[in-house]
Amino acid sequence: MIEFNLFRLNCFLNDTQANDFKRIVISLVSEFIFDNKNQEVKLEECYKHIIHYHKLEIDKDYFISIVSAHKAFEQIPLQNDISLKLTSKKFGEINDRLKEHSIEVFIGKFLKSKDYSANYLESIKSLLYQAVFENISSFSTENLTTLISPQIHSNFKNDEIEKFNEFLEDQNHEKNTAVYNVFLKATEFAIITSGKGVKEFSKDLFEGKKYCLDTNILFRLLGIGGIERQNTLVNLIKSCNHQGISFEYTSQTLQELKKTLAGSVKYLKVAEQKYDIVALGELTETDPKLFNEDFVLHYSKLRANGQVNNPDQYEIRLLSDFRTLESQLGFGLTKGNINIPEKDKTKLSDYLFKSKKELPYGLRYSKTAANIDAYNILYVRKIRSDNNYNYIDVKSFYLTTDRTLNVVLSKDIGNIIPETILPSQLFILHHPYTSNGEQVDYNLFLQFVKRRTTEFHLKGSEVLTYINQIRKQTTSKTELKNILLVYADKRYDVSNDHNIEERKVRPLQEIIDTVIDKKLEQGKADSKELNTIKQNANNRIPIINRNTKWTVRILDILLTIIIIPLTILIVKNISSDIKILIGATVTVELIKFLITSKTRLWNYVWGQILKITLRNSNYFKLTNDENYISIGMEEFNKLDGEIWKKNKNHR
């Protein structure tokens, strides 16, 4: 059985109307028959495939009524059953869409247009698999194996992530539509087939929803994390507000926000005394993608632009911006008094902390963060009350950027709907029904899908110390930037292991020594010295050639006058057999004839010895300059090949 590929899902589901249970059943049957090369398949086999492979709960009579009434199938009566096949028209439509509009096709075209290696196709596909999995895992767990291959990488190289993001950013409307629909249809499929009280996907499913905001969401709304992330979240919340969806934050989240901000300001006050923060801000203007968008970087930008003059002003600025956002986006502190027992919070906090430690990058999760998450999750759970099973009844979610938190809660063995939701999930769930018929904002959606490469970037606090270290050897801003660019790209030793935390980090000094003026000036001096050595080496070529010629002449004398006669004498002393004597004499005389008959033999020997001599010269060992060998052979070709003939031009 060919596994149901989620990238093909959009080719079987209608782009705009495949949001109900019946259409999904039809799409799964169509896929099953299509993979059997449109051979006739018994209706009974189709039913077993749906309930066993896809784990779809459906009454058999209801299944038959759906399939038998659909015009996509040809029905062939059997004695005790019915066999099905796709109509030729439907088969052709699916086949054409797979060939022309599948994600693989768009990835291939993108790589070809950019002249990138075709090897990136698999990593881009895998990243898309992972992103879709993260978005639908909290909606459905039982039938995910039928949608997504289990071979999903958790870690990727920097260049793979960059190519993936570039693919998403590529301005191709058809590609954007295809990517968006893959996510949308996979989500609809997961919700409708999850058995959680949904048979039709419509805006009524989400009316009256209320989202509790995570601290990281609030900081991103304030610009911590970059302008791009800030704009995407602001636009998303505005879109949801338009349909009456409300947002709030708990007192615990507000306390964490103020505490985190105060801690950052405290660090910035110390950093102001020790480091050049303005220089960092100026650097971010030249290449913002080089750095990790943290508090230090955010402050350095505002400081460099003159918007704040010190950390205290920065704190006031952010708190003021926070109040402005509350007014503009219509969110605020939770109202009412919901009691969260300390015992329950401690239990859930311990569970979250332990579970997150078992996941990649879990070491970055603190006990304090676990306590805040536990409180907010229990808050959402209290609001839901008993309405925690059917999506149509669930009124509250915890909006967070923490994918791993989403994973942990999705593994809950209870048959519930996880309290957490990601910004990308929020977009997928609400945007199709909140745009009032307007065109889907694909660019906004794709910003949520993009993978961040923060593990490859430089933290603001790191860069401050790097600037001080670099300036001990150079004051050039250009070199400062170049060193940081190289270090961001080369600081991890090359390894087959993609796990960043286990990579060996190269020392910054190694990069500095490669880039700064001292090395460049040394390189110039080395270049001058090398030119002198090269000129001297070229001047010695005629001498080497003449010496080689004399070497060959000596070999000629040794063979002709000494070795050949001596060989005959030795043979006479060893054997008195007349046949052996005649054979040895003939052989020796033949060799003597070849050597003394003006053939090209010695010319060849001369050339080979010359090549060996040139390659063993100090200059060639130093430079490996093949052009030096070519010059030597050109000199050789100018000479007469006969070693005993003098050349007037080369004495």
Side-chain angles (χ1 to χ4, degrees):
M1 177 61 60
I2 298 176
E3 183 175 330
F4 186 52
N5 187 327
L6 94 87
F7 288 143
R8 298 166 60 201
L9 181 64
N10 194 41
C11 291
F12 288 95
L13 296 176
N14 184 289
D15 282 355
T16 58
Q17 297 178 328
N19 50 23
D20 61 48
F21 189 77
K22 292 181 180 180
R23 293 182 185 275
I24 284 177
V25 170
I26 294 299
S27 72
L28 295 179
V29 174
S30 299
E31 178 266 337
F32 182 54
I33 297 174
F34 185 88
D35 279 345
N36 281 280
K37 299 180 180 179
N38 206 26
Q39 300 297 312
E40 294 180 15
V41 181
K42 291 182 179 180
L43 186 62
E44 180 70 19
E45 289 182 34
C46 293
Y47 178 68
K48 289 180 179 178
H49 172 73
I50 294 299
I51 62 173
H52 294 311
Y53 183 70
H54 291 295
K55 297 179 176 61
L56 198 64
E57 297 179 5
I58 181 172
D59 179 76
K60 187 174 182 179
D61 290 337
Y62 184 43
F63 172 80
I64 293 174
S65 67
I66 293 173
V67 174
S68 60
H70 204 276
K71 60 183 180 180
F73 305 114
E74 292 182 11
Q75 301 182 37
I76 298 91
L78 302 174
Q79 186 173 357
N80 297 314
D81 200 352
I82 296 174
S83 66
L84 300 173
K85 64 179 296 186
L86 296 168
T87 64
S88 57
K89 179 181 178 182
K90 186 65 175 178
F91 181 82
E93 287 176 358
I94 295 174
N95 196 47
D96 289 342
R97 293 187 69 189
L98 284 172
K99 289 181 178 179
E100 298 177 12
H101 301 289
S102 68
I103 293 297
E104 290 94 333
V105 171
F106 288 112
I107 297 174
K109 288 181 178 179
F110 163 75
L111 294 175
K112 187 175 181 180
S113 68
K114 298 291 185 178
D115 199 26
Y116 293 150
S117 169
N119 294 332
Y120 284 113
L121 191 145
E122 288 304 316
S123 61
I124 292 176
K125 276 179 57 179
S126 190
L127 276 159
L128 276 172
Y129 267 124
Q130 188 180 84
V132 178
F133 175 82
E134 290 167 353
N135 278 279
I136 68 176
S137 61
S138 58
F139 302 132
S140 175
T141 55
E142 287 297 315
N143 51 15
L144 285 183
T145 54
T146 70
L147 277 177
I148 302 178
S149 167
Q151 304 301 323
I152 301 177
H153 299 301
S154 59
N155 296 304
F156 295 85
K157 295 179 181 178
N158 190 26
D159 62 316
E160 292 173 328
I161 296 174
E162 288 178 346
K163 296 297 184 295
F164 171 72
N165 288 341
E166 194 175 340
F167 167 69
L168 295 179
E169 292 172 348
D170 188 40
Q171 293 303 309
N172 182 318
H173 182 74
E174 284 189 309
K175 179 268 298 179
N176 291 342
T177 304
V179 172
Y180 173 76
N181 281 329
V182 164
F183 280 79
L184 178 62
K185 299 312 169 186
T187 301
E188 291 175 348
F189 178 91
I191 292 178
I192 292 175
T193 62
S194 64
K196 296 179 180 178
V198 176
K199 293 298 180 184
E200 185 176 358
F201 204 86
S202 68
K203 67 179 181 180
D204 296 335
L205 183 63
F206 310 107
E207 285 185 352
K209 303 297 184 189
K210 180 179 288 187
Y211 294 91
C212 179
L213 301 175
D214 180 17
T215 310
N216 283 332
I217 292 288
L218 295 178
F219 278 130
R220 287 192 180 185
L221 287 171
L222 288 169
I224 313 300
I227 296 297
E228 183 180 79
R229 288 179 173 181
Q230 182 184 33
N231 290 338
T232 53
L233 273 175
V234 168
N235 291 333
L236 177 61
I237 289 177
K238 284 181 178 179
S239 176
C240 290
N241 281 340
H242 187 68
Q243 292 298 318
I245 301 163
S246 60
F247 298 88
E248 60 185 3
Y249 56 86
T250 66
S251 58
Q252 298 281 321
T253 296
L254 181 60
Q255 289 176 19
E256 185 184 26
L257 182 143
K258 290 182 176 180
K259 185 177 180 180
T260 303
L261 179 57
S264 298
V265 169
K266 184 178 180 180
Y267 170 80
L268 289 171
K269 287 181 177 180
V270 175
E272 281 275 20
Q273 305 300 319
K274 296 174 62 177
Y275 306 112
D276 190 345
I277 291 182
V278 174
L280 173 60
E282 292 172 350
L283 280 171
T284 61
E285 297 297 325
T286 60
D287 197 338
K289 292 184 179 181
L290 171 64
F291 306 100
N292 204 341
E293 297 277 359
D294 54 12
F295 280 101
V296 176
L297 197 73
H298 188 241
Y299 171 71
S300 71
K301 289 180 180 178
L302 297 179
R303 181 85 162 80
N305 293 331
Q307 297 183 49
V308 296
N309 294 322
N310 55 60
D312 287 327
Q313 287 187 7
Y314 177 65
E315 184 176 20
I316 295 171
R317 165 71 180 263
L318 285 189
L319 291 175
S320 175
D321 288 347
F322 181 67
R323 297 306 175 192
T324 302
L325 277 172
E326 281 187 310
S327 176
Q328 291 178 344
L329 300 180
F331 65 84
L333 189 64
T334 55
K335 298 178 181 179
N337 184 25
I338 293 181
N339 181 42
I340 307 296
E342 190 65 29
K343 179 182 177 182
D344 293 345
K345 187 182 79 170
T346 301
K347 182 180 178 180
L348 180 57
S349 175
D350 290 342
Y351 170 73
L352 294 176
F353 187 74
K354 179 183 177 183
S355 299
K356 289 261 288 184
K357 290 297 181 182
E358 297 172 356
L359 297 173
Y361 308 114
L363 294 175
R364 302 174 184 175
Y365 194 58
S366 67
K367 190 65 179 177
T368 300
N371 287 331
I372 302 298
D373 286 334
Y375 180 90
N376 288 335
I377 290 167
L378 290 172
Y379 171 80
V380 168
R381 199 171 288 177
K382 286 277 188 178
I383 293 178
R384 289 183 176 185
S385 186
D386 295 329
N387 299 326
N388 203 35
Y389 180 81
N390 294 336
Y391 275 98
I392 198 166
D393 296 324
V394 173
K395 300 301 181 184
S396 183
F397 287 94
Y398 180 35
L399 182 61
T400 177
T401 60
D402 191 342
R403 291 189 179 95
T404 56
L405 184 61
N406 213 26
V407 170
V408 169
L409 292 176
S410 298
K411 292 180 178 179
D412 194 313
I413 59 174
N415 194 11
I416 64 172
I417 297 168
E419 291 79 11
T420 53
I421 191 169
L422 302 171
S424 54
Q425 291 175 321
L426 174 58
F427 185 99
I428 294 170
L429 292 180
H430 291 283
H431 196 78
Y433 310 102
T434 60
S435 59
N436 290 331
E438 298 173 5
Q439 186 178 6
V440 175
D441 189 349
Y442 296 120
N443 290 330
L444 177 58
F445 170 69
L446 294 175
Q447 292 303 320
F448 292 118
V449 181
K450 285 174 61 178
R451 276 293 184 272
R452 311 298 170 180
T453 54
T454 52
E455 64 267 31
F456 298 97
H457 294 170
L458 302 175
K459 296 180 181 179
S461 56
E462 290 179 328
V463 178
L464 289 176
T465 62
Y466 297 158
I467 290 174
N468 279 10
Q469 185 176 347
I470 295 168
R471 281 185 169 170
K472 291 178 181 178
Q473 295 177 252
T474 178
T475 58
S476 169
K477 290 184 178 181
T478 300
E479 287 170 8
L480 178 64
K481 176 189 171 185
N482 289 340
I483 290 169
L484 292 173
L485 282 170
V486 173
Y487 189 58
D489 187 46
K490 303 293 185 183
R491 62 175 169 163
Y492 295 113
D493 282 339
V494 178
S495 170
N496 291 328
D497 187 356
H498 292 185
N499 192 337
I500 300 299
E501 293 180 356
E502 296 181 5
R503 288 184 180 179
K504 182 181 178 182
V505 180
R506 289 176 174 171
L508 176 63
Q509 192 61 46
E510 184 178 310
I511 305 299
I512 295 175
D513 289 340
T514 306
V515 180
I516 61 173
D517 278 345
K518 182 179 177 182
K519 278 287 182 182
L520 294 175
E521 290 299 325
Q522 183 63 46
K524 292 177 182 177
D526 290 344
S527 178
K528 291 179 180 178
E529 183 179 345
L530 185 60
N531 286 333
T532 302
I533 294 172
K534 183 176 181 178
Q535 186 61 47
N536 291 337
N538 289 340
N539 292 338
R540 280 187 52 79
I541 287 177
I543 298 173
I544 294 173
N545 211 336
R546 287 196 295 271
N547 291 341
T548 305
K549 184 175 183 179
W550 274 106
T551 299
V552 177
R553 283 179 172 178
I554 292 170
L555 285 175
D556 184 14
I557 293 170
L558 287 173
L559 282 170
T560 306
I561 300 176
I562 300 174
I563 296 178
I564 291 177
L566 185 61
T567 301
I568 296 175
L569 292 174
I570 292 172
V571 171
K572 286 181 179 180
N573 291 330
I574 293 175
S575 174
S576 59
D577 190 326
I578 189 66
K579 292 182 179 180
I580 294 177
L581 289 174
I582 294 174
T585 302
V586 171
T587 302
V588 170
E589 289 298 325
L590 179 60
I591 294 173
K592 183 178 179 181
F593 171 77
L594 292 174
I595 293 173
T596 60
S597 60
K598 308 299 182 183
T599 64
R600 308 285 298 178
L601 176 62
W602 285 117
N603 186 41
Y604 174 78
V605 173
W606 178 6
Q608 294 304 306
I609 294 177
L610 178 61
K611 281 185 180 180
I612 293 172
T613 305
L614 292 172
R615 288 188 178 278
N616 284 315
S617 67
N618 291 331
Y619 173 76
F620 187 80
K621 289 178 179 179
L622 175 68
T623 64
N624 201 31
D625 184 4
E626 290 291 339
N627 189 53
Y628 176 66
I629 307 299
S630 299
I631 294 173
M633 297 313 295
E634 286 177 6
E635 183 73 17
F636 165 76
N637 291 329
K638 293 177 183 178
L639 301 176
D640 196 314
E642 298 177 11
I643 63 169
W644 291 107
K645 184 176 181 180
K646 293 183 180 181
N647 190 295
K648 294 180 181 180
N649 297 325
H650 295 85
R651 290 184 179 179

